[in-house]
Amino acid sequence: MLSTRTTPARDVVALDGLWRFALDSDAGERPWESRLDTALEAPVPASYNDLFTDSRIRDHVGVVWYQRDVRVPRGWSGERVVLRFGSVTHAAKVYVDDTLIAEHVGGYTPFEADLTDVAAPGRQFRLTVAVDNRLTNITIPPGTVTTGPDGRERQAYFHDFYNYAGIARSVKLYSTPASYIDDITVVTRIDGPAGLVDYAVVTGGEDADGIRIRVLDESGAVVATSGGAEGSLRLDDVILWQPGAAYLYDLLVEMIAGDAVVDSYTLPFGVRTVEVRGTQFLINGEPFYFTGFGKHEDTPVRGKGHDDAYLVHDFQLLEWTGANSFRTSHYPYAEEVLDFADRHGIVVVDETAAVGLNLGVQGGLTGIPPTPTFAEENFGGETKNVHAQHLRELIARDKNHPSVVMWSIANEPASNEDGAREYFEPLVDLARELDPTRPLTYAAVMFANPTNDKIADLFDVLSINRYYGWYVFTGDLGTAEGVLEQELRGWVQRFGKPIMMSEYGADTQPGLHSVWDMPWTEEYQTDLLATYHRVFDRIPEFVGEHIWNFADFMTGPGIHRVDGNKKGVFTRDRKPKGAAFSLRDRWRGLDGRKPGAHEKEDRA
Ligand code: BDP
């Protein structure tokens, strides 16, 4: 799915700003049929939960309504008119005046509606969106809705971040010609000093006479040309897209009828390869060592609303710490984030929203759930179908980003339980069919170990989440170090694949200090990370470290959470805790290479 861009043949109007807003219970019978009778306004993009002082809104379970008036630009007559939502969390029904024109389930992927027949240029219409935040056993991520003794619905979920909802990403109205470029796929290879670019273009509407392709370098010079809906281009003396040294070409695609250009679209792309070979993770044939974090889309007031100021600042802080990468834990992030990563050479592990497919986490430290996680009445065939659809939408959206080097299919699923293989094998097959070029991983939960895990052999990279020294062996870093090393070596021994740590960390209250190993202090976070780093540096198959978390973030209420999860290396308002400085010391020396690699090179 192409992102929205203006081109000589396309216009875009952003529908961001303040929309009328109401809870379902306050909105009347058929709210889309008239002007929403409400005094509330909510900004788009933003989650709605933290905007208002009314706790009925913050804790609302079910549908809320957003509405605004929209006018299709007069100049768009004869054009195809498309409405695009970056995300509506978690399900949407979209009405143009009295007509339902689109429905979508899945809170972190975009969807579109063709308005050509319902919204004439120059005319104003009422755009109403029903936003449903309910999570069930057949949504991704999953949850459960129960009714309390007071008759009020309550939402429970199996993930450790607040269930922010609303219209958290931009809404856009755009035009294309009646015949249009519908999709483009780019796959790149390297052949000595040249780059090979395989492309495929899908069109919609009437067939055109031809497709014209040009590749432009960053100076705007045309460096290769081709024609036809599918083909391959050769870029001599290619400049590669590299971690820390991004370089983007433009693929200019034109749809031709006679002598005229009917539609045009410019897709930025980078030339790079990704490969897992033996126990190495290679980018452009060179071993790559991931340094960075699991992140969240989470800021005060906006919740998960995309914000360009935080985007820029967060990437500054990544660079400041020497991080070269992050994981989009635990859902696909806004497209602006990946575009930025493409332009700035930050490497991304792109994760689905499949977080919480694990009833064992509720089973306390045993990991044994009350009923099997993958039983039909829990997360069975229907959940898997929803997960598959989500994977299709994610890969369709993100397949052309050079920054995305690996798909993470799930976070902490019950991969130790019976039924895990039956659940995951078809999803792995699907992901490989949709994108044969990128390695696959999933982040392994603490209950899954080298002996009982049932799915790791299906994947390419072992990503391990562990909290030794925090949830287990609390305050005992000595024991944590030994147990961690033994376990990590066990994974390598059984599966013989590259291994990285996808989560490790400690909740930390800024300003709390101690001369002893005291959990929650800044020193303890620093020491816990250093303990893990010593272990990583002793394991040759290690390919990366992603700390949990980049910044403190909001969670649901819980006796283990004080105003959210405090495992951030930065506070929620992005102030560094002590550990940030020691990370900076470690990572800025690594430069995408493994610890020790420099010394070996220096010796050579
Ligand atoms: C892991 C989860 C992550 C949590 C983290 C924690 O993957 O989402 O926030 O634990 O407990 O199990 O901090």
Side-chain angles (χ1 to χ4, degrees):
M1 181 187 229
L2 296 176
S3 65
T4 311
R5 287 172 193 282
T6 52
T7 77
R10 296 169 172 232
D11 291 312
V12 181
V13 174
L15 301 183
D16 297 347
L18 291 166
W19 293 42
R20 297 188 279 279
F21 177 87
L23 294 185
D24 193 36
S25 49
D26 301 339
E29 266 299 285
R30 296 164 73 82
W32 61 94
E33 287 185 349
S34 55
R35 190 184 164 89
L36 208 52
D37 182 15
T38 179
L40 301 178
E41 298 184 53
V44 171
S47 306
Y48 61 76
N49 308 79
D50 291 354
L51 300 172
F52 306 100
T53 51
D54 184 351
S55 65
R56 284 194 320 140
I57 300 177
R58 185 168 198 268
D59 304 333
H60 179 71
V61 178
V63 169
V64 300
W65 294 89
Y66 282 75
Q67 191 183 68
R68 64 165 285 165
D69 301 317
V70 178
R71 189 180 298 279
V72 182
R74 272 182 310 165
W76 289 11
S77 77
E79 300 292 282
R80 185 172 152 260
V81 178
V82 186
L83 181 64
R84 188 185 208 269
F85 289 84
S87 71
V88 176
T89 320
H90 295 281
K93 283 188 182 170
V94 181
Y95 301 83
V96 167
D97 293 330
D98 294 354
T99 315
L100 176 69
I101 48 129
E103 292 188 63
H104 182 259
V105 179
Y108 300 101
T109 43
F111 63 95
E112 295 189 335
D114 190 328
L115 302 194
T116 317
D117 295 335
V118 289
R123 196 175 74 78
Q124 178 172 298
F125 64 87
R126 205 172 46 247
L127 176 60
T128 310
V129 186
V131 179
D132 191 340
N133 69 352
R134 276 172 291 195
L135 297 172
T136 68
N137 69 327
I138 52 165
T139 58
I140 293 291
T144 47
V145 177
T146 52
T147 308
D150 55 0
R152 208 164 49 83
E153 286 197 324
R154 283 173 176 74
Q155 175 76 67
Y157 38 93
F158 314 106
H159 54 76
D160 180 37
F161 56 93
Y162 191 80
N163 186 34
Y164 282 115
I167 306 181
R169 297 178 189 159
S170 278
V171 182
K172 287 177 180 150
L173 192 68
Y174 71 95
S175 71
T176 77
S179 292
Y180 58 97
I181 297 159
D182 193 28
D183 195 22
I184 305 169
T185 307
V186 164
V187 172
T188 60
R189 291 172 286 145
I190 300 172
D191 181 20
L196 302 178
V197 184
D198 301 324
Y199 72 87
V201 178
V202 178
T203 57
E206 310 248 308
D207 278 349
D209 298 337
I211 301 285
R212 193 159 69 196
I213 306 282
R214 270 174 286 172
V215 176
L216 281 63
D217 68 12
E218 282 190 353
S219 75
V222 176
V223 291
T225 58
S226 180
E230 281 183 28
S232 189
L233 297 126
R234 187 181 181 85
L235 308 182
D236 293 324
D237 299 320
V238 70
I239 302 178
L240 297 176
W241 187 96
Q242 305 202 61
Y247 190 93
L248 296 177
Y249 292 91
D250 276 338
L251 189 82
L252 171 54
V253 180
E254 289 174 323
M255 200 173 164
I256 309 291
D259 289 339
V261 174
V262 183
D263 190 14
S264 67
Y265 189 90
T266 302
L267 177 81
F269 72 97
V271 179
R272 61 110 185 86
T273 60
V274 181
E275 187 191 343
V276 167
R277 197 186 299 153
T279 55
Q280 289 187 316
F281 193 97
L282 307 177
I283 298 182
N284 300 331
E286 300 279 328
F288 179 71
Y289 189 85
F290 294 81
T291 55
F293 305 91
K295 283 185 97 258
H296 263 302
E297 291 188 311
D298 175 273
T299 58
V301 185
R302 288 176 184 77
K304 294 206 173 304
H306 173 73
D307 183 280
D308 280 338
Y310 274 99
L311 167 70
V312 169
H313 192 55
D314 282 5
F315 274 73
Q316 282 285 297
L317 294 177
L318 290 175
E319 195 188 317
W320 180 87
T321 49
N324 59 21
S325 55
F326 64 90
R327 175 169 62 123
T328 70
S329 40
H330 295 310
Y331 37 82
Y333 289 3
E335 289 157 274
E336 290 87 338
V337 179
L338 298 179
D339 289 340
F340 201 85
D342 287 347
R343 291 196 298 274
H344 295 273
I346 293 283
V347 169
V348 178
V349 177
D350 202 352
E351 185 158 277
T352 69
V355 51
L357 294 170
N358 197 334
L359 299 177
V361 172
Q362 294 185 308
L365 286 183
T366 62
I368 299 167
T371 57
T373 297
F374 297 106
E376 207 42 48
E377 67 274 20
N378 293 324
F379 309 134
E382 213 174 331
T383 318
K384 183 168 54 181
N385 292 342
V386 176
H387 194 158
Q389 175 57 17
H390 174 62
L391 201 51
R392 280 186 205 101
E393 291 181 23
L394 170 67
I395 295 177
R397 191 194 74 162
D398 291 350
K399 62 187 172 187
N400 292 322
H401 287 285
S403 57
V404 174
V405 300
M406 178 153 68
W407 306 112
S408 170
I409 286 187
N411 182 67
E412 299 197 340
S415 59
N416 53 311
E417 280 188 49
D418 287 339
R421 203 167 176 92
E422 291 73 10
Y423 183 97
F424 277 100
E425 201 162 10
L427 295 177
V428 168
D429 291 346
L430 175 67
R432 292 207 192 278
E433 179 193 320
L434 295 169
D435 181 6
T437 72
R438 286 180 178 86
L440 303 178
T441 196
Y442 68 98
V445 69
M446 65 182 284
F447 308 123
N449 59 46
T451 4
N452 67 11
D453 185 274
K454 300 194 180 351
I455 61 170
D457 61 302
L458 302 170
F459 292 80
D460 304 299
V461 172
L462 304 166
S463 297
I464 312 292
N465 294 359
R466 284 299 174 270
Y467 289 95
Y468 296 131
W470 188 253
Y471 294 120
V472 278
F473 313 123
T474 316
D476 182 357
L477 293 177
T479 305
E481 182 164 353
V483 174
L484 177 70
E485 179 157 1
Q486 198 188 9
E487 191 192 338
L488 295 178
R489 288 191 187 278
W491 283 96
V492 173
Q493 210 174 6
R494 174 162 168 217
F495 295 104
K497 294 177 191 279
I499 185 166
M500 67 184 284
M501 204 81 201
S502 36
E503 284 186 28
Y504 60 112
D507 284 270
T508 303
Q509 177 61 33
L512 199 63
H513 298 285
S514 175
V515 294
W516 303 295
D517 277 351
M518 290 281 277
W520 289 93
T521 61
E522 295 199 41
E523 290 76 16
Y524 192 75
Q525 184 181 38
T526 304
D527 292 348
L528 182 140
L529 300 179
T531 302
Y532 277 64
H533 295 154
R534 280 197 299 278
V535 173
F536 303 164
D537 293 354
R538 293 196 287 262
I539 300 180
E541 296 80 3
F542 230 73
V543 298
E545 49 199 63
H546 278 171
I547 291 167
W548 193 252
N549 189 286
F550 171 74
D552 295 344
F553 59 90
M554 191 43 66
T555 63
I559 52 168
H560 297 287
R561 296 287 174 259
V562 186
D563 194 29
N565 187 308
K566 289 278 166 41
K567 294 193 186 68
V569 164
F570 296 91
T571 59
R572 201 178 188 210
D573 61 352
R574 277 49 175 176
K575 301 283 190 300
K577 299 182 190 170
F581 297 91
S582 55
L583 280 180
R584 182 173 150 89
D585 285 346
R586 173 176 169 82
W587 287 348
R588 286 174 73 97
L590 294 183
D591 199 18
R593 286 175 290 183
K594 263 178 106 109
H598 298 67
E599 291 92 78
K600 271 183 223 144
E601 279 162 28
D602 291 348
R603 276 203 305 273

